[in-house]
Amino acid sequence: MSQLRKVALVGNPNAGKSALFNALTGARQKIANYPGVTVERKAGRLLLPSGQPIELVDLPGSYGLDSTSPDEEVTRKVIMGEFPGEQAPDALIVVLDASNLEQHLVFALEVIELGKPTVVALNMVDLAERDGLVIDPAALASELGVPVISTVAVRRRGLSELAEAIAQAGAREPEKRHPHGFLPERRLTAHAIADGAILSETARHRLHAKLDRVLLHPWIGPLILFALLFVVFQAVFAGAAPFADGLDAGVAALGDLVRGALPPSLIRDLLTDGIISGVGSVVVFLPQIIILFFFILAMEASGYMARAAFLMDRMMASVGLSGRSFIPLLSSFACAIPGIMATRSIADPKDRLTTILVAPLMTCSARLPVYAVVIAAVIPQRAVLGPVGLQGLVLFALYALGVVSAMVVALVLRSTVTKGAASGFIMELPKYQMPRLKDLMIGLWQRAWIFLRRAGTIIFMVTVVLWLLLNFPRAGQGESQVDASFAGKIANGLAVVVEPIGFNRDIALSLIPAMAAREVAVSSLATTYAVDAGDDDSTQAALGEQIAARWTLPTALAFLAWFVFAPQCMSTIAVTRRETNGWKWPVFMLLYLFGLAYIFAGITYWSALALGL
Ligand SMILES: Nc1nc2c(ncn2[C@@H]2O[C@H](COP(=O)(O)OP(=O)(O)OP(=O)(O)O)[C@@H](O)[C@H]2O)c(=O)[nH]1
Ligand SMILES: [Mg+2]
């Protein structure tokens, strides 16, 4: 088999490598406006102008070939041909941020010194122009001894020229003009080259500097961050309500339609009580998910996220972590899995391990349906202060509880099992950019798709299995179907364990399937209540109404507290095993999180009872 020619994209973090990779190959790799987004190698295929295909590899950003963190290690190994099972790339594309030329040239020089066929993509020339920088690519090319192509990855500018240059890079003999140097020399050279290539520069950084003075202000900054997050959670409830109600009505109508169209049978029950009630109860949270991600993606693209990391650095340092951990923890708001993967950009192994262990405490989007359904059922929808709603406030409090717990646990871990000094934090602050609507839409679409795919696969399957377990063996006359079923028997056994923390049998029943994914707790409850109600129309009510009628407030609050901590996600455990190379830490994670969940649910339940709620 003939191997494809291989070309790798290298450069400093946040230079736009993944954006170029996506533009050249049509892939949809995650890009975001902060350093350390890509942590793995990713390959795709690019057709050269001649029609010949090559393999293009996107790599994690790096500051030098003396790698310090696991993600930089990947870059070094791939470039040097030491990556297991992979031959060295035939050519390299060094991606430079034109608006940050001098700094990015330092690593570029080190890569060019390797003497491989190399092309430089002078990316983000639009940002450079915006800042009043005019750069001469020809001067840069003659200084570096390799072709330099100006590009704007996100507007697909310069792509065909770049492809042409890649096609020719392999044909030329590499020019070994640059002797091997050391870092200080490279810095001097980078300075001189940048000076020579920058034709004119006007000070238009002022607006951004002003913005940073406010947003990074020691106390105004955190206040703004806090206010912003507050708005996000209010919006999740208030903004989603009309859409969620519409979806709710749609699911109910679909159930009625099927119930009316089919004669009474087990198949009809499976469709209505199992699939439509179960999967439908999760799908209705799509609007909330979209609103949450709209804010997260806009904050990522604008460059604000990196500022938030900067702001949090001091707080993180006080618990023995660094601002470096902030981005992985923040990604965990979406899902702990990419969050844990993102820890690869943390150089210090103990810092990294601590971050992995606390990542599941950040409230992932799978918890949103669980929180939202219970809050909507038991917390009254009223304003507390002006437009501030109580429901949004409780949601915010649950997220805050997750963050505070993560900090406390990190502090405890850092002085016990992962003892060590906190490492320093250096992160470049990316340029502010206006988020582009199209990118936001694509990002939201991807998120919505992930959510719906989960509903259609894992949640669907677990729901069907649960429905079967709930319906067999069949109940006798006058006996409750749930009590008679296999699932009911298992739940009754488990109920003994969770009774002290205020959980009822239905909750016990939802906890085991929810190990597959947290949202399953919602679909399981919906299916259980639908089976329990049988064909009696008077008890066929939406899940929220069922919870409001059947649960006491202390039980509902204990359930919420449980979900702040409980490690109910198999995939997180699996990815922790992979990232820590063994079972020791995932088992530790499971035990400490279940322990905390049990204790906090219990405290919540008994305090609520004592308060007479
Ligand atoms: N204006 C402008 N923005 C760009 C350009 N190329 C990339 N970006 C933006 O710059 C940010 C960083 O892009 P990425 O492709 O994630 O950068 P990367 O080099 O892959 O970063 P790491 O994976 O962290 O190493 C994103 O917000 C992109 O939308 C460009 O040419 N012009
Ligand atoms: Mg990238």
Side-chain angles (χ1 to χ4, degrees), residues 17-19 30-31 37-38 58-59 61:
K17 297 174 296 299
S18 302
K30 179 170 173 83
I31 61 170
V37 179
T38 309
D58 184 23
L59 292 172

PDB file of all heavy atoms in Angstrom, residues 17-19 30-31 37-38 58-59 61, ligand 2:
ATOM      1  N   LYS A  17      -4.384  26.903  14.031  1.00  0.00           N
ATOM      2  CA  LYS A  17      -4.074  25.642  13.339  1.00  0.00           C
ATOM      3  C   LYS A  17      -5.329  24.838  13.062  1.00  0.00           C
ATOM      4  O   LYS A  17      -5.538  24.362  11.947  1.00  0.00           O
ATOM      5  CB  LYS A  17      -3.112  24.794  14.204  1.00  0.00           C
ATOM      6  CG  LYS A  17      -1.771  25.433  14.450  1.00  0.00           C
ATOM      7  CD  LYS A  17      -0.926  24.623  15.412  1.00  0.00           C
ATOM      8  CE  LYS A  17      -1.530  24.551  16.801  1.00  0.00           C
ATOM      9  NZ  LYS A  17      -1.684  25.856  17.461  1.00  0.00           N
ATOM     10  N   SER A  18      -6.140  24.697  14.092  1.00  0.00           N
ATOM     11  CA  SER A  18      -7.353  23.887  13.894  1.00  0.00           C
ATOM     12  C   SER A  18      -8.308  24.570  12.929  1.00  0.00           C
ATOM     13  O   SER A  18      -8.995  23.902  12.153  1.00  0.00           O
ATOM     14  CB  SER A  18      -8.047  23.622  15.225  1.00  0.00           C
ATOM     15  OG  SER A  18      -7.157  22.970  16.096  1.00  0.00           O
ATOM     16  N   ALA A  19      -8.355  25.899  12.973  1.00  0.00           N
ATOM     17  CA  ALA A  19      -9.222  26.626  12.038  1.00  0.00           C
ATOM     18  C   ALA A  19      -8.745  26.363  10.606  1.00  0.00           C
ATOM     19  O   ALA A  19      -9.550  26.124   9.700  1.00  0.00           O
ATOM     20  CB  ALA A  19      -9.213  28.113  12.355  1.00  0.00           C
ATOM     21  N   LYS A  30     -12.805  21.201  17.113  1.00  0.00           N
ATOM     22  CA  LYS A  30     -13.155  22.336  17.968  1.00  0.00           C
ATOM     23  C   LYS A  30     -12.097  23.434  17.840  1.00  0.00           C
ATOM     24  O   LYS A  30     -10.902  23.174  17.907  1.00  0.00           O
ATOM     25  CB  LYS A  30     -13.257  21.907  19.421  1.00  0.00           C
ATOM     26  CG  LYS A  30     -13.595  23.091  20.332  1.00  0.00           C
ATOM     27  CD  LYS A  30     -13.931  22.662  21.741  1.00  0.00           C
ATOM     28  CE  LYS A  30     -14.089  23.861  22.651  1.00  0.00           C
ATOM     29  NZ  LYS A  30     -15.383  24.504  22.609  1.00  0.00           N
ATOM     30  N   ILE A  31     -12.570  24.658  17.620  1.00  0.00           N
ATOM     31  CA  ILE A  31     -11.680  25.810  17.696  1.00  0.00           C
ATOM     32  C   ILE A  31     -12.275  26.786  18.693  1.00  0.00           C
ATOM     33  O   ILE A  31     -13.483  26.848  18.862  1.00  0.00           O
ATOM     34  CB  ILE A  31     -11.491  26.524  16.329  1.00  0.00           C
ATOM     35  CG1 ILE A  31     -12.814  27.056  15.788  1.00  0.00           C
ATOM     36  CG2 ILE A  31     -10.842  25.620  15.320  1.00  0.00           C
ATOM     37  CD1 ILE A  31     -12.646  27.959  14.583  1.00  0.00           C
ATOM     38  N   VAL A  37      -6.696  24.431  23.141  1.00  0.00           N
ATOM     39  CA  VAL A  37      -7.958  23.805  22.757  1.00  0.00           C
ATOM     40  C   VAL A  37      -7.712  22.382  22.262  1.00  0.00           C
ATOM     41  O   VAL A  37      -8.349  21.432  22.696  1.00  0.00           O
ATOM     42  CB  VAL A  37      -8.673  24.626  21.666  1.00  0.00           C
ATOM     43  CG1 VAL A  37      -9.971  23.954  21.258  1.00  0.00           C
ATOM     44  CG2 VAL A  37      -8.941  26.033  22.163  1.00  0.00           C
ATOM     45  N   THR A  38      -6.765  22.245  21.335  1.00  0.00           N
ATOM     46  CA  THR A  38      -6.471  20.924  20.777  1.00  0.00           C
ATOM     47  C   THR A  38      -5.475  20.209  21.684  1.00  0.00           C
ATOM     48  O   THR A  38      -4.434  20.776  22.014  1.00  0.00           O
ATOM     49  CB  THR A  38      -5.863  21.073  19.372  1.00  0.00           C
ATOM     50  OG1 THR A  38      -6.698  21.933  18.607  1.00  0.00           O
ATOM     51  CG2 THR A  38      -5.741  19.729  18.680  1.00  0.00           C
ATOM     52  N   ASP A  58      -3.491  17.789  12.376  1.00  0.00           N
ATOM     53  CA  ASP A  58      -3.618  18.944  13.278  1.00  0.00           C
ATOM     54  C   ASP A  58      -3.014  18.545  14.619  1.00  0.00           C
ATOM     55  O   ASP A  58      -3.245  17.444  15.106  1.00  0.00           O
ATOM     56  CB  ASP A  58      -5.107  19.290  13.463  1.00  0.00           C
ATOM     57  CG  ASP A  58      -5.296  20.535  14.321  1.00  0.00           C
ATOM     58  OD1 ASP A  58      -4.363  21.359  14.398  1.00  0.00           O
ATOM     59  OD2 ASP A  58      -6.393  20.688  14.903  1.00  0.00           O
ATOM     60  N   LEU A  59      -2.218  19.440  15.194  1.00  0.00           N
ATOM     61  CA  LEU A  59      -1.529  19.095  16.442  1.00  0.00           C
ATOM     62  C   LEU A  59      -1.839  20.100  17.538  1.00  0.00           C
ATOM     63  O   LEU A  59      -2.249  21.224  17.267  1.00  0.00           O
ATOM     64  CB  LEU A  59      -0.014  19.073  16.193  1.00  0.00           C
ATOM     65  CG  LEU A  59       0.483  17.962  15.287  1.00  0.00           C
ATOM     66  CD1 LEU A  59       1.943  18.149  14.962  1.00  0.00           C
ATOM     67  CD2 LEU A  59       0.253  16.611  15.953  1.00  0.00           C
ATOM     68  N   GLY A  61      -1.126  22.970  20.157  1.00  0.00           N
ATOM     69  CA  GLY A  61      -0.199  24.085  20.106  1.00  0.00           C
ATOM     70  C   GLY A  61       0.978  23.852  21.047  1.00  0.00           C
ATOM     71  O   GLY A  61       0.870  23.124  22.023  1.00  0.00           O
TER      72      GLY A  61
HETATM   73 MG    MG B   2      -6.299  23.619  17.787  1.00  0.00          MG
END
